[in-house]
Amino acid sequence: MSKKALLLNATYEVLSFIPEKKVLKLIFKEKAEIISTWGDYIVWGSGKIKFPSILKLKNYVKINHINTNFSRKMLIKRDKNICQYCNKKLFGAQITVDHVLPKSQGGTTSFTNCVISCQNCNSKKANNTPEQANMVLLKKPTHPSYSSTYFIHDYQDQWHSDWDSFII
Ligand SMILES: [Zn+2]
């Protein structure tokens, strides 16, 4: 398996995975600083350096967020397996998808109208809005971030544990 470096924006926002060639180019042009490394070395001029696992750009670049289609799997990732009403950690069959504005009241199946919830909360809420059911959402549902959508689908190379804190 090949190795890549995770490229972060100047604000620590995840940008992309980049191959060795691009890593060297960014370091050579002094456009990025090394945040963490893999265990092995790569040739650097007449010497060698540890292959970076995380690089951070020195200057901020503006990025456009990509769109992703709604899926239960992505919703569970976004909500980190936590019932968005009672804060309970959920696994497998315990997880239900709740429409914040119920379908019966015109709610859509979308990232901004769906959250995961436990079966208790979902049946308590039934065909009501949180207000009607006197329940409170932990947070307002939003479209998943660039990092979570991009990386879950597209990355197949060797994983570095330092990336865990940047990628959901
Ligand atoms: Zn719950």
Side-chain angles (χ1 to χ4, degrees):
M1 264 199 300
S2 65
K3 287 193 175 73
K4 288 201 172 87
L6 178 65
L7 182 65
L8 303 176
N9 215 335
T11 50
Y12 288 91
E13 186 180 16
V14 169
L15 291 177
S16 62
F17 284 110
I18 53 173
E20 180 175 327
K21 226 175 164 176
K22 192 160 180 202
V23 170
L24 291 174
K25 210 168 151 186
L26 284 171
I27 301 173
F28 181 71
K29 289 187 169 174
E30 297 186 346
K31 285 190 169 171
E33 58 176 302
I34 299 168
I35 303 290
S36 81
T37 58
W38 293 93
D40 35 356
Y41 291 86
I42 47 172
V43 177
W44 176 250
S46 55
K48 56 184 185 173
I49 57 163
K50 275 195 170 173
F51 186 81
S53 59
I54 301 178
L55 280 178
K56 184 169 82 72
L57 288 178
K58 290 182 177 172
N59 295 311
Y60 178 76
V61 294
K62 203 173 181 311
I63 59 158
N64 294 316
H65 287 239
I66 54 164
N67 273 326
T68 195
N69 293 328
F70 179 85
S71 75
R72 177 188 157 92
K73 198 176 152 195
M74 191 62 71
L75 193 71
I76 294 168
K77 283 265 176 198
R78 186 200 64 187
D79 292 345
K80 300 190 171 107
N81 284 62
I82 289 173
C83 172
Q84 295 299 297
Y85 294 101
C86 71
N87 209 10
K88 204 169 92 181
K89 185 104 178 166
L90 307 173
F91 298 97
Q94 299 175 308
I95 301 171
T96 66
V97 172
D98 171 62
H99 288 73
V100 178
L101 177 66
K103 275 187 186 168
S104 58
Q105 298 188 36
T108 57
T109 301
S110 63
F111 284 118
T112 50
N113 189 50
C114 288
V115 295
I116 66 164
S117 80
C118 69
Q119 283 161 359
N120 275 347
C121 290
N122 207 338
S123 49
K124 190 177 152 199
K125 184 170 170 285
N127 284 327
N128 297 302
T129 64
E131 294 75 25
Q132 289 164 349
N134 203 15
M135 293 165 78
V136 180
L137 268 175
L138 293 184
K139 59 180 187 314
K140 196 175 170 339
T142 56
H143 203 274
S145 68
Y146 175 84
S147 55
S148 56
T149 54
Y150 180 82
F151 290 102
I152 293 162
H153 292 308
D154 295 344
Y155 193 75
Q156 287 174 353
D157 294 317
Q158 200 173 332
W159 195 260
H160 194 291
S161 58
D162 285 356
W163 297 342
D164 290 345
S165 50
F166 293 99
I167 299 163
I168 324 164

